[in-house]
Amino acid sequence: MSNHQIIRWLLVCFIGAPGTGKTFTVKLLGEELEKPVFSIDMSMVVSKYIGETEKNLSKVFDMAENKDWILFFDEADALFGKRTNIKDSHDRYANQEVAYLLQRVEDYRGLVILSTNLKSNIDEAFARRFQIMVPFNLPNSEERARLWKGAFSKHSVLEDSLNLDEVAELFELSGGSIVNVVQYYSMMAMSRGNNIILKTDLLAGVEREYAKVGKILKTGFQE
């Protein structure tokens, strides 16, 4: 049996915080299987207007029919959140939207992947429909150290007091957040007209990433 035959009926869920590699993995999977990846931002598909979400989903599946695409629904929490308490008519329609998507997924002859930030965000009845659920965890300190050390350009010069092992130990960041910090301090170095990476720039970049998730930078990292 070929790889193509093995995956044609799979419904997969990728679970992990932003920046842990879910989207990148889908891209690599498409390259490995030699299949186009059609990415759908679920937050852009879901509408507050009754019936519009189903219309948007219908357009996606109609367009993908017989294309042999990998369908990747990003930010699936926008639609598949728990709805144990139906408070109003909109909640009832939201449940119908989930049922409609499940119907279209089951009719689709291809691989469908959905991503979510937390497993607890997915309704249990819907979670049971997944054949595979793949966790994407935040990197540990050793993995973060490798990411930090691999992120610096060979032309970069680190400030003498900047210890990347210490940085990796202190700051719990995803791979995506580390890339964002690298981009930030690189721009700061360019604005000074040099290639020196300052500790203050790195800390400012980390603080920006923490702020995105409501965390406050508290550390014994010496200035």
Side-chain angles (χ1 to χ4, degrees):
M1 182 177 291
S2 69
N3 286 339
H4 175 81
Q5 291 172 316
I6 290 172
I7 67 159
R8 65 185 299 127
W9 299 106
L10 281 182
L11 175 59
V12 180
C13 184
F14 285 178
I15 307 166
T20 50
K22 301 187 297 294
T23 301
F24 184 64
T25 300
V26 174
K27 178 182 177 181
L28 292 179
L29 186 59
E31 292 177 356
E32 178 67 22
L33 298 174
E34 298 182 347
K35 293 178 180 293
V37 174
F38 187 65
S39 181
I40 306 101
D41 185 343
M42 189 62 79
S43 65
M44 302 297 291
V45 172
V46 174
S47 173
K48 65 181 180 179
Y49 298 106
I50 292 172
E52 286 300 310
T53 299
E54 290 97 322
K55 288 181 182 179
N56 293 336
L57 289 169
S58 179
K59 290 177 182 177
V60 170
F61 283 98
D62 290 346
M63 184 167 47
E65 190 174 3
N66 300 320
K67 296 291 197 312
D68 199 27
W69 291 344
I70 296 174
L71 293 185
F72 177 48
F73 289 91
D74 200 9
E75 303 292 342
D77 312 65
L79 182 59
F80 306 118
K82 292 184 177 180
R83 305 183 190 279
T84 54
N85 297 319
I86 299 177
K87 299 178 181 179
D88 55 32
S89 60
H90 186 271
D91 287 334
R92 286 192 290 273
Y93 279 109
N95 282 331
Q96 291 178 23
E97 292 166 354
V98 172
Y100 177 79
L101 177 63
L102 284 172
Q103 176 191 337
R104 293 304 301 258
V105 165
E106 291 172 354
D107 291 340
Y108 181 68
R109 297 179 66 81
L111 174 60
V112 179
I113 302 173
L114 293 86
S115 77
T116 177
N117 293 336
L118 294 170
K119 184 177 181 180
S120 59
N121 288 350
I122 300 295
D123 183 272
E124 291 181 10
F126 182 72
R128 288 195 293 268
R129 307 303 259 295
F130 291 108
Q131 282 91 350
I132 299 174
M133 301 186 80
V134 183
F136 285 73
N137 300 317
L138 288 170
N140 59 34
S141 59
E142 292 182 1
E143 292 166 338
R144 292 195 297 270
R146 290 198 295 270
L147 289 170
W148 279 115
K149 292 172 183 178
F152 283 88
S153 165
K154 63 181 180 180
H155 302 294
S156 298
V157 177
L158 274 62
E159 186 179 13
D160 290 341
S161 60
L162 190 52
N163 185 319
L164 294 181
D165 289 319
E166 186 181 6
V167 170
E169 182 69 31
L170 288 172
F171 305 125
E172 295 185 357
L173 294 169
S174 68
S177 291
I178 290 174
V179 170
N180 290 341
V181 176
V182 170
Q183 292 174 340
Y184 174 79
Y185 64 58
S186 296
M187 288 190 297
M188 296 302 293
M190 290 174 61
S191 69
R192 291 191 298 270
N194 60 40
N195 60 346
I196 300 174
I197 308 303
L198 301 180
K199 181 184 291 186
T200 53
D201 291 340
L202 188 144
L203 283 172
V206 171
E207 187 171 21
R208 285 161 60 96
E209 291 304 302
Y210 272 28
K212 292 177 183 178
V213 293
K215 294 174 64 176
I216 299 175
L217 183 63
K218 294 179 180 180
T219 176
F221 197 51
Q222 296 300 313
E223 296 289 348

